[in-house]
Amino acid sequence: MADSKLLVPELSEAEKMGADTARFEELLLQASKELQQAQTSRPESTQIQPQPGFCIKTNSSEGKVFINICHSPSIPPPADMTEDELLQMLEEDQAGFRIPMSLGEPHAELDAKGQGCTAYDVAVNSDFYRRMQNSDFLRELVVTIAREGLEDKYSLQLNPEWRMLKNRPFLGSISQQNIRSQQRPRIQELGNLYTPDSLRPEEGPEKPHLNLWLEAPDLLLAEIDLPRLDGALGLSLEIGENRLVMGGPQQLYHLDAYIPLRINSEESKAAFHRKRKQLMVAMPLLSVAS
């Protein structure tokens, strides 16, 4: 486990920065201490029952494949933006937009002709699903991401050509799914809140500099330089098991970083340091299974 004393040297050089530094040091020390109870403080997963939406038909080398696009309010929604904003983001950075979804296990079914086939259940957020119903663009985007996700997860090669079944919202039965009980780290404000009159960048969001280091074998620290901000208002941060995604207010900044370590996202902490103009993130690491 992390030795809390290892956290002190990194901050000792900034003693003159006053209460802001002291509060961040306290934050990191708290993150280190909470590692001791991280395994029992929260359940690792939550069981959900997705609701049917629509079903598409495609195929693989092994035969016909059906994908049930379902929805649940327990799935977090993607970032709220217009289709024009989404198109622009996809043109500039295809990894910049994520649609949280739960990919279910394959289950054997019979099609309308009584022939064997494979079906998968893919669940998205319910509010986003209702929005998707009125947008061919969003529907095709979700199907594409779902297909690619299934290919990656189950080592499949699915035909990119597909068609939506009429008058049949799902094939077979939709099973319950387990989703990770994740919680976005709350960004703490260090110092009095001040909101600058920032202008939207002319050429899309800027990718900020990211500095990562291991403070201890089970504690990863990050500093994200945000020189155009004076506070945490409008910042969004999402941490997955091996991914850190940060968005800035008015699309000033966007960062999507792959981290080749297993992060305990539920116990991660974040703080914005006004004097340094940095977002500081403490990320406890999960032990590697033997």
Side-chain angles (χ1 to χ4, degrees), residues 191-208:
N192 296 327
L193 181 64
Y194 169 72
T195 305
D197 294 328
S198 303
L199 297 177
R200 182 184 296 271
E202 296 180 357
E203 298 182 356
E206 176 184 343
K207 181 179 180 181

PDB file of all heavy atoms in Angstrom, residues 191-208:
ATOM      1  N   GLY A 191      -9.157  27.602  -3.623  1.00  0.00           N
ATOM      2  CA  GLY A 191      -9.147  29.053  -3.671  1.00  0.00           C
ATOM      3  C   GLY A 191     -10.508  29.580  -4.049  1.00  0.00           C
ATOM      4  O   GLY A 191     -11.429  28.833  -4.364  1.00  0.00           O
ATOM      5  N   ASN A 192     -10.657  30.889  -4.013  1.00  0.00           N
ATOM      6  CA  ASN A 192     -11.930  31.514  -4.329  1.00  0.00           C
ATOM      7  C   ASN A 192     -12.252  31.363  -5.801  1.00  0.00           C
ATOM      8  O   ASN A 192     -11.380  31.453  -6.664  1.00  0.00           O
ATOM      9  CB  ASN A 192     -11.902  33.005  -3.966  1.00  0.00           C
ATOM     10  CG  ASN A 192     -11.725  33.205  -2.474  1.00  0.00           C
ATOM     11  OD1 ASN A 192     -12.211  32.405  -1.680  1.00  0.00           O
ATOM     12  ND2 ASN A 192     -11.016  34.256  -2.100  1.00  0.00           N
ATOM     13  N   LEU A 193     -13.508  31.126  -6.092  1.00  0.00           N
ATOM     14  CA  LEU A 193     -13.947  30.915  -7.468  1.00  0.00           C
ATOM     15  C   LEU A 193     -13.888  32.208  -8.259  1.00  0.00           C
ATOM     16  O   LEU A 193     -14.358  33.252  -7.820  1.00  0.00           O
ATOM     17  CB  LEU A 193     -15.385  30.376  -7.488  1.00  0.00           C
ATOM     18  CG  LEU A 193     -15.968  30.087  -8.862  1.00  0.00           C
ATOM     19  CD1 LEU A 193     -15.184  28.982  -9.544  1.00  0.00           C
ATOM     20  CD2 LEU A 193     -17.436  29.696  -8.744  1.00  0.00           C
ATOM     21  N   TYR A 194     -13.282  32.126  -9.436  1.00  0.00           N
ATOM     22  CA  TYR A 194     -13.238  33.275 -10.330  1.00  0.00           C
ATOM     23  C   TYR A 194     -13.467  32.765 -11.739  1.00  0.00           C
ATOM     24  O   TYR A 194     -12.793  31.847 -12.192  1.00  0.00           O
ATOM     25  CB  TYR A 194     -11.887  33.995 -10.253  1.00  0.00           C
ATOM     26  CG  TYR A 194     -11.703  35.033 -11.345  1.00  0.00           C
ATOM     27  CD1 TYR A 194     -12.420  36.225 -11.306  1.00  0.00           C
ATOM     28  CD2 TYR A 194     -10.834  34.806 -12.412  1.00  0.00           C
ATOM     29  CE1 TYR A 194     -12.265  37.166 -12.306  1.00  0.00           C
ATOM     30  CE2 TYR A 194     -10.664  35.750 -13.408  1.00  0.00           C
ATOM     31  CZ  TYR A 194     -11.377  36.931 -13.345  1.00  0.00           C
ATOM     32  OH  TYR A 194     -11.230  37.864 -14.334  1.00  0.00           O
ATOM     33  N   THR A 195     -14.428  33.334 -12.428  1.00  0.00           N
ATOM     34  CA  THR A 195     -14.771  32.887 -13.773  1.00  0.00           C
ATOM     35  C   THR A 195     -14.295  33.910 -14.790  1.00  0.00           C
ATOM     36  O   THR A 195     -14.800  35.033 -14.834  1.00  0.00           O
ATOM     37  CB  THR A 195     -16.293  32.713 -13.918  1.00  0.00           C
ATOM     38  OG1 THR A 195     -16.747  31.841 -12.895  1.00  0.00           O
ATOM     39  CG2 THR A 195     -16.635  32.131 -15.278  1.00  0.00           C
ATOM     40  N   PRO A 196     -13.314  33.580 -15.628  1.00  0.00           N
ATOM     41  CA  PRO A 196     -12.830  34.530 -16.613  1.00  0.00           C
ATOM     42  C   PRO A 196     -13.795  34.636 -17.778  1.00  0.00           C
ATOM     43  O   PRO A 196     -14.582  33.724 -18.042  1.00  0.00           O
ATOM     44  CB  PRO A 196     -11.500  33.908 -17.068  1.00  0.00           C
ATOM     45  CG  PRO A 196     -11.720  32.436 -16.902  1.00  0.00           C
ATOM     46  CD  PRO A 196     -12.619  32.285 -15.691  1.00  0.00           C
ATOM     47  N   ASP A 197     -13.715  35.732 -18.483  1.00  0.00           N
ATOM     48  CA  ASP A 197     -14.523  35.898 -19.693  1.00  0.00           C
ATOM     49  C   ASP A 197     -13.784  35.257 -20.856  1.00  0.00           C
ATOM     50  O   ASP A 197     -13.215  35.925 -21.720  1.00  0.00           O
ATOM     51  CB  ASP A 197     -14.764  37.395 -19.969  1.00  0.00           C
ATOM     52  CG  ASP A 197     -15.615  38.023 -18.886  1.00  0.00           C
ATOM     53  OD1 ASP A 197     -16.466  37.319 -18.323  1.00  0.00           O
ATOM     54  OD2 ASP A 197     -15.420  39.218 -18.589  1.00  0.00           O
ATOM     55  N   SER A 198     -13.770  33.925 -20.841  1.00  0.00           N
ATOM     56  CA  SER A 198     -13.025  33.190 -21.856  1.00  0.00           C
ATOM     57  C   SER A 198     -13.777  33.193 -23.179  1.00  0.00           C
ATOM     58  O   SER A 198     -14.997  33.174 -23.212  1.00  0.00           O
ATOM     59  CB  SER A 198     -12.801  31.740 -21.397  1.00  0.00           C
ATOM     60  OG  SER A 198     -12.134  31.713 -20.154  1.00  0.00           O
ATOM     61  N   LEU A 199     -13.011  33.171 -24.250  1.00  0.00           N
ATOM     62  CA  LEU A 199     -13.587  33.121 -25.589  1.00  0.00           C
ATOM     63  C   LEU A 199     -13.435  31.721 -26.136  1.00  0.00           C
ATOM     64  O   LEU A 199     -12.465  31.028 -25.858  1.00  0.00           O
ATOM     65  CB  LEU A 199     -12.883  34.127 -26.517  1.00  0.00           C
ATOM     66  CG  LEU A 199     -13.020  35.595 -26.120  1.00  0.00           C
ATOM     67  CD1 LEU A 199     -12.215  36.457 -27.089  1.00  0.00           C
ATOM     68  CD2 LEU A 199     -14.470  36.039 -26.105  1.00  0.00           C
ATOM     69  N   ARG A 200     -14.400  31.286 -26.918  1.00  0.00           N
ATOM     70  CA  ARG A 200     -14.344  29.975 -27.558  1.00  0.00           C
ATOM     71  C   ARG A 200     -13.179  29.953 -28.548  1.00  0.00           C
ATOM     72  O   ARG A 200     -13.016  30.868 -29.343  1.00  0.00           O
ATOM     73  CB  ARG A 200     -15.652  29.695 -28.297  1.00  0.00           C
ATOM     74  CG  ARG A 200     -15.687  28.313 -28.959  1.00  0.00           C
ATOM     75  CD  ARG A 200     -16.972  28.161 -29.746  1.00  0.00           C
ATOM     76  NE  ARG A 200     -18.121  28.187 -28.868  1.00  0.00           N
ATOM     77  CZ  ARG A 200     -18.634  27.113 -28.294  1.00  0.00           C
ATOM     78  NH1 ARG A 200     -18.101  25.938 -28.486  1.00  0.00           N
ATOM     79  NH2 ARG A 200     -19.691  27.217 -27.515  1.00  0.00           N
ATOM     80  N   PRO A 201     -12.342  28.951 -28.518  1.00  0.00           N
ATOM     81  CA  PRO A 201     -11.233  28.895 -29.460  1.00  0.00           C
ATOM     82  C   PRO A 201     -11.740  28.820 -30.887  1.00  0.00           C
ATOM     83  O   PRO A 201     -12.775  28.227 -31.166  1.00  0.00           O
ATOM     84  CB  PRO A 201     -10.494  27.605 -29.060  1.00  0.00           C
ATOM     85  CG  PRO A 201     -11.505  26.784 -28.327  1.00  0.00           C
ATOM     86  CD  PRO A 201     -12.418  27.770 -27.650  1.00  0.00           C
ATOM     87  N   GLU A 202     -10.960  29.407 -31.788  1.00  0.00           N
ATOM     88  CA  GLU A 202     -11.399  29.486 -33.183  1.00  0.00           C
ATOM     89  C   GLU A 202     -11.207  28.171 -33.916  1.00  0.00           C
ATOM     90  O   GLU A 202     -11.893  27.899 -34.888  1.00  0.00           O
ATOM     91  CB  GLU A 202     -10.624  30.605 -33.900  1.00  0.00           C
ATOM     92  CG  GLU A 202     -10.907  31.986 -33.330  1.00  0.00           C
ATOM     93  CD  GLU A 202     -10.126  33.052 -34.058  1.00  0.00           C
ATOM     94  OE1 GLU A 202      -9.336  32.684 -34.962  1.00  0.00           O
ATOM     95  OE2 GLU A 202     -10.295  34.241 -33.754  1.00  0.00           O
ATOM     96  N   GLU A 203     -10.271  27.332 -33.486  1.00  0.00           N
ATOM     97  CA  GLU A 203      -9.951  26.125 -34.233  1.00  0.00           C
ATOM     98  C   GLU A 203     -10.109  24.878 -33.373  1.00  0.00           C
ATOM     99  O   GLU A 203      -9.299  23.971 -33.405  1.00  0.00           O
ATOM    100  CB  GLU A 203      -8.525  26.218 -34.782  1.00  0.00           C
ATOM    101  CG  GLU A 203      -8.335  27.381 -35.751  1.00  0.00           C
ATOM    102  CD  GLU A 203      -6.941  27.422 -36.308  1.00  0.00           C
ATOM    103  OE1 GLU A 203      -6.119  26.582 -35.879  1.00  0.00           O
ATOM    104  OE2 GLU A 203      -6.664  28.266 -37.160  1.00  0.00           O
ATOM    105  N   GLY A 204     -11.161  24.812 -32.606  1.00  0.00           N
ATOM    106  CA  GLY A 204     -11.441  23.627 -31.810  1.00  0.00           C
ATOM    107  C   GLY A 204     -10.685  23.626 -30.493  1.00  0.00           C
ATOM    108  O   GLY A 204      -9.826  24.478 -30.238  1.00  0.00           O
ATOM    109  N   PRO A 205     -10.991  22.660 -29.621  1.00  0.00           N
ATOM    110  CA  PRO A 205     -10.370  22.614 -28.298  1.00  0.00           C
ATOM    111  C   PRO A 205      -8.881  22.317 -28.373  1.00  0.00           C
ATOM    112  O   PRO A 205      -8.400  21.609 -29.263  1.00  0.00           O
ATOM    113  CB  PRO A 205     -11.133  21.503 -27.585  1.00  0.00           C
ATOM    114  CG  PRO A 205     -11.687  20.655 -28.674  1.00  0.00           C
ATOM    115  CD  PRO A 205     -11.971  21.584 -29.817  1.00  0.00           C
ATOM    116  N   GLU A 206      -8.142  22.870 -27.410  1.00  0.00           N
ATOM    117  CA  GLU A 206      -6.708  22.658 -27.323  1.00  0.00           C
ATOM    118  C   GLU A 206      -6.418  21.428 -26.481  1.00  0.00           C
ATOM    119  O   GLU A 206      -7.107  21.165 -25.493  1.00  0.00           O
ATOM    120  CB  GLU A 206      -6.053  23.892 -26.691  1.00  0.00           C
ATOM    121  CG  GLU A 206      -4.559  23.762 -26.446  1.00  0.00           C
ATOM    122  CD  GLU A 206      -3.998  24.980 -25.729  1.00  0.00           C
ATOM    123  OE1 GLU A 206      -4.699  26.024 -25.725  1.00  0.00           O
ATOM    124  OE2 GLU A 206      -2.897  24.884 -25.160  1.00  0.00           O
ATOM    125  N   LYS A 207      -5.407  20.668 -26.871  1.00  0.00           N
ATOM    126  CA  LYS A 207      -4.993  19.505 -26.096  1.00  0.00           C
ATOM    127  C   LYS A 207      -3.955  19.962 -25.076  1.00  0.00           C
ATOM    128  O   LYS A 207      -2.846  20.356 -25.439  1.00  0.00           O
ATOM    129  CB  LYS A 207      -4.408  18.424 -27.004  1.00  0.00           C
ATOM    130  CG  LYS A 207      -3.984  17.163 -26.248  1.00  0.00           C
ATOM    131  CD  LYS A 207      -3.434  16.111 -27.201  1.00  0.00           C
ATOM    132  CE  LYS A 207      -3.015  14.860 -26.449  1.00  0.00           C
ATOM    133  NZ  LYS A 207      -2.458  13.837 -27.376  1.00  0.00           N
ATOM    134  N   PRO A 208      -4.284  19.916 -23.784  1.00  0.00           N
ATOM    135  CA  PRO A 208      -3.347  20.418 -22.780  1.00  0.00           C
ATOM    136  C   PRO A 208      -2.199  19.449 -22.519  1.00  0.00           C
ATOM    137  O   PRO A 208      -2.284  18.261 -22.826  1.00  0.00           O
ATOM    138  CB  PRO A 208      -4.235  20.572 -21.537  1.00  0.00           C
ATOM    139  CG  PRO A 208      -5.274  19.530 -21.715  1.00  0.00           C
ATOM    140  CD  PRO A 208      -5.541  19.435 -23.194  1.00  0.00           C
TER     141      PRO A 208
END
